[in-house]
Amino acid sequence: MVQVVIGSDHAGYELKEQLKERLLDCGYAVRDIGTVSIEPVDYPDIAVEVAREVLNNEPALGILVCGTGIGMAITANKIPGIRAAVCNDTFAARAAREHNDANILAIGARILETESAWDIVKAFLSASFQGGRHARRVDKIRALESRYFK
Ligand code: RB5
């Protein structure tokens, strides 16, 4: 089973804890980067740590939870090698793995109920990159990283 690195800000804390418990129950090795309470924190501080851990433990996958998933994904995508996708439905979550080889799922705790969030996490973790024509497209993303990221 793939290792899962999970993190949230204060807005995502409660959902992150619920998802972590379910992942552990399913037998996943889960590394929790925090946050550890509903005390306000800045989402970039968590997103960058989760991104680093995902890259250091490849083929680990990351899950980021904030109010919308957006700030977390914007931050994580600044790290070369990270493809973070905001997915607030299962179709997108599956496609993010199958087509985009996303290695981080970002979700919004202020958008999703727990059961929907759990369905999205399961869809993301159970899907695999399909390669083929999608690999060519992901390679183009990598080429852009090489060109524009200093
Ligand atoms: C925190 O209030 C909120 O801005 C954050 O959780 C997230 O939604 C940012 O994208």
Side-chain angles (χ1 to χ4, degrees):
M1 254 181 187
V2 70
Q3 188 187 338
V4 178
V5 185
I6 196 166
S8 76
D9 69 356
H10 52 289
Y13 170 71
E14 283 174 6
L15 181 57
K16 186 257 291 176
E17 290 298 303
Q18 291 164 347
L19 294 174
K20 182 176 69 177
E21 200 175 304
R22 291 180 185 212
L23 287 165
L24 290 168
D25 284 348
C26 288
Y28 284 98
V30 182
R31 180 150 164 65
D32 183 359
I33 301 302
T35 189
V36 296
S37 75
I38 57 168
E39 198 64 32
V41 291
D42 297 334
Y43 59 79
D45 298 336
I46 302 292
V48 70
E49 286 307 315
V50 168
R52 283 197 192 118
E53 282 300 306
V54 166
L55 294 176
N56 287 340
N57 294 283
E58 276 183 319
L61 293 174
I63 298 171
L64 287 168
V65 192
C66 64
T68 59
I70 296 169
M72 288 292 202
I74 290 173
T75 308
N77 280 319
K78 299 295 182 198
I79 314 303
I82 290 297
R83 288 174 300 283
V86 182
C87 301
N88 288 313
D89 64 74
T90 56
F91 180 86
R94 197 168 299 112
R97 291 284 305 127
E98 291 180 350
H99 291 205
N100 313 114
D101 201 15
N103 48 11
I104 292 186
L105 168 71
I107 55 175
R110 292 177 177 158
I111 298 172
L112 298 167
E113 301 294 337
T114 303
E115 290 310 320
S116 308
W118 177 234
D119 287 344
I120 289 164
V121 166
K122 284 188 294 183
F124 185 79
L125 295 180
S126 63
S128 303
F129 183 49
Q130 288 181 345
R133 68 188 187 282
H134 303 298
R136 183 180 73 244
R137 294 159 186 165
V138 173
D139 283 346
K140 288 190 176 185
I141 296 173
R142 287 200 186 91
L144 287 167
E145 281 180 344
S146 304
R147 182 167 173 194
Y148 287 103
F149 281 33
K150 298 286 174 227

